[in-house]
Amino acid sequence: MSEISRNGAGASGQPGRIGIGLELDAVHMKILEVLRENGRISVSALAERVGISRANAYTRFEALRADGAIKRFTAEIDHVRTGLGITALIFVTVRQQMWKQFRAELARMPEVEYCAITTGQHDAMIQVRMSDVAEVHAMVTDRLANIPAVKATETVFILDEVLRRPYVLPSDRDKARPVRRAAQEASGDVPLGKMRFVGAAEGRAALRKDG
Amino acid sequence: MSEISRNGAGASGQPGRIGIGLELDAVHMKILEVLRENGRISVSALAERVGISRANAYTRFEALRADGAIKRFTAEIDHVRTGLGITALIFVTVRQQMWKQFRAELARMPEVEYCAITTGQHDAMIQVRMSDVAEVHAMVTDRLANIPAVKATETVFILDEVLRRPYVLPSDRDKARPVRRAAQEASGDVPLGKMRFVGAAEGRAALRKDG
DNA sequence: GTTGAAATTAGTACGAA
DNA sequence: TTCGTACTAATTTCAAC
């Protein structure tokens, strides 16, 4: 039931701007880099890996937590082992003016792992974990369908989760190696034709107001 | 670059079946419940919260880790603070027989936080974090478009991440409260019409073989 | 922001229930 | 298996620099 930070694609605050609080320097970033890989590392070991003193590491660690740059520490669990081996994505079309109700209902659905409001054909995407396909069907038809705010849904199943990185950082960008296709790069010939961007549906501008 | 467990919606192993390793009992689940909320809790405090001895907690903690039920511990980071305030979902249509190449290219893209292979209109969904919208555009047109395995893409932006739960457990299901709509429940009248399930695209059956 | 010492806590080993 | 205790090693806190 954790409300997480708004991304605000254009609307709220400049992206890239570090919040009102702490100014994050290179050392802070390095700390985050270590912590996202190993959330249980001791602060002493962290200090060593980052190359700062223990006291400094404690100060920064606490500052990052207090500031909210680190939201929480969590254990990644193997859902297949715990009996929730089926994952589905449900794309939801929400009746305008009923966002508030939609969000309230979401809070009552603990089997929902993730929910994001998106541009494009649908309004929201929710990810659920279930023990079998029938349960997904029941969830969609019995629970979601009974929410007046839900106008329509479209469900797809996840066949394989190829990767999940423990939270991306800007420093990752530098590690990116562009695909080497000499001929294409030389001519600047990028096949734009096969790409498609989908903007927000009509009426979505009022999202924040009634959400 | 972490390969995560397969979900296998029907293909591999029964869902709900606890793997070859450890049999997870109620105490294991309770441990996971605590650990997903607070990944940095000490084993002593964990033992107390779960109601078992310290020694037992150590044994079970180690067993869960060794068994793979706990995959890793990680820090949840506020992406807005770290300068990656823009999140996008890119739905990718992959050329059949080129899954292996597609996966290889994904490994070289650190800005990709999540990738799942899905049923439905598209073949895969990837989630990326960027500092601005232009970077998403560059990523899609310059990097993804240059991968021969990518036939087409469709990009949507995430306007708001309403919730992210630190990994769902079966016990969460019991907390689910169905929507109370007396009239509808009495008559069993569920508006199935507004729901849609989308199966795998043609040729996706060979997914595992060339992936 | 750093170092080093004291106090506290974590992790291990082992015998008993 | 699980618990309780004792022992050892490590971490956190706090001080002075």
Side-chain angles (χ1 to χ4, degrees):
Chain A
M1 207 188 299
S2 53
E3 285 281 327
I4 59 180
S5 71
R6 276 89 223 263
N7 283 308
S12 68
Q14 291 102 311
R17 169 81 183 75
I18 311 301
I20 312 109
L22 196 60
E23 284 283 324
L24 301 184
D25 61 21
V27 178
H28 285 120
M29 286 300 179
K30 212 165 172 188
I31 290 173
L32 295 178
E33 218 164 300
V34 174
L35 248 28
R36 74 184 167 153
E37 281 167 18
N38 182 4
R40 272 185 87 85
I41 194 172
S42 72
V43 182
S44 314
L46 176 70
E48 203 172 11
R49 281 191 60 179
V50 173
I52 54 173
S53 70
R54 277 162 299 158
N56 192 0
Y58 276 104
T59 309
R60 286 168 176 272
F61 181 86
E62 250 316 301
L64 284 167
R65 254 177 164 299
D67 183 64
I70 298 171
K71 289 192 279 193
R72 56 149 74 106
F73 290 94
T74 187
E76 267 189 38
I77 287 159
D78 187 326
H79 297 292
V80 177
R81 302 244 164 174
T82 58
L84 295 178
I86 301 296
T87 310
L89 298 176
I90 307 167
F91 297 92
V92 182
T93 308
V94 179
R95 251 178 259 282
Q96 298 306 316
Q97 316 288 351
M98 295 183 87
W99 278 98
K100 206 170 199 160
Q101 194 210 39
F102 176 66
R103 290 170 98 123
E105 289 298 337
L106 267 182
R108 305 164 88 206
M109 298 185 190
E111 57 277 74
V112 174
E113 186 177 3
Y114 179 70
C115 173
I117 293 167
T118 66
T119 66
Q121 199 186 337
H122 307 98
D123 298 310
M125 182 189 84
I126 72 181
Q127 185 177 41
V128 296
R129 304 264 180 198
M130 297 285 176
S131 57
D132 55 58
V133 179
E135 273 192 1
V136 177
H137 185 252
M139 152 95 189
V140 173
T141 55
D142 296 351
R143 309 221 336 96
L144 278 175
N146 279 330
I147 301 172
V150 172
K151 202 194 281 180
T153 67
E154 195 166 321
T155 304
V156 305
F157 288 93
I158 290 183
L159 299 173
D160 192 3
E161 296 186 270
V162 179
L163 68 88
R164 159 162 274 140
R165 288 210 179 81
Y167 306 99
V168 178
L169 288 175
S171 53
D172 290 327
R173 233 175 343 196
D174 312 331
K175 292 167 199 153
R177 273 162 289 175
V179 184
R180 280 205 217 111
R181 297 183 63 69
Q184 238 175 26
E185 268 179 20
S187 66
D189 171 32
V190 172
L192 271 165
K194 61 181 182 178
M195 304 303 145
R196 193 178 152 214
F197 288 84
V198 186
E202 41 82 41
R204 197 86 54 79
L207 188 77
R208 285 279 151 55
K209 285 157 202 150
D210 54 12
Chain B
M1 207 184 301
S2 52
E3 285 283 327
I4 57 181
S5 71
R6 277 89 223 260
N7 282 308
S12 68
Q14 290 102 310
R17 171 81 184 75
I18 311 302
I20 312 108
L22 197 60
E23 284 281 325
L24 300 183
D25 60 21
V27 177
H28 285 120
M29 288 299 180
K30 212 165 173 189
I31 290 173
L32 294 178
E33 218 164 301
V34 173
L35 249 25
R36 74 183 167 155
E37 279 167 21
N38 181 4
R40 271 186 87 84
I41 194 171
S42 71
V43 182
S44 313
L46 176 69
E48 202 172 9
R49 282 191 60 180
V50 174
I52 54 174
S53 73
R54 224 153 60 88
N56 194 1
Y58 274 106
T59 309
R60 284 167 175 273
F61 182 87
E62 247 314 292
L64 285 168
R65 255 179 162 300
D67 183 64
I70 298 172
K71 287 192 280 194
R72 54 148 81 104
F73 290 94
T74 188
E76 268 188 39
I77 287 159
D78 187 326
H79 298 291
V80 177
R81 302 244 164 173
T82 59
L84 295 177
I86 302 296
T87 309
L89 298 176
I90 308 167
F91 297 92
V92 182
T93 308
V94 179
R95 249 179 261 282
Q96 298 307 317
Q97 315 286 352
M98 293 182 87
W99 278 97
K100 205 170 201 160
Q101 194 209 38
F102 176 66
R103 290 171 99 122
E105 289 300 334
L106 267 182
R108 305 164 89 206
M109 298 184 190
E111 56 279 71
V112 174
E113 186 177 3
Y114 180 70
C115 173
I117 294 168
T118 65
T119 66
Q121 198 185 340
H122 307 98
D123 298 311
M125 182 188 85
I126 71 181
Q127 185 176 40
V128 296
R129 304 265 180 196
M130 298 283 176
S131 56
D132 56 57
V133 179
E135 272 191 3
V136 177
H137 186 250
M139 153 95 189
V140 173
T141 55
D142 297 352
R143 307 216 343 90
L144 277 175
N146 279 329
I147 299 173
V150 172
K151 204 194 279 179
T153 68
E154 195 167 320
T155 305
V156 305
F157 288 93
I158 290 183
L159 299 173
D160 193 3
E161 295 186 91
V162 179
L163 70 87
R164 158 162 273 141
R165 290 210 179 82
Y167 307 98
V168 178
L169 288 176
S171 53
D172 290 328
R173 234 173 343 193
D174 312 331
K175 292 165 197 153
R177 273 162 288 174
V179 185
R180 280 204 217 110
R181 298 182 63 67
Q184 237 175 26
E185 267 179 20
S187 67
D189 172 33
V190 173
L192 271 165
K194 61 181 182 177
M195 305 302 146
R196 193 180 152 213
F197 288 84
V198 186
E202 40 83 41
R204 196 84 55 78
L207 188 79
R208 285 279 151 55
K209 284 158 203 149
D210 54 16

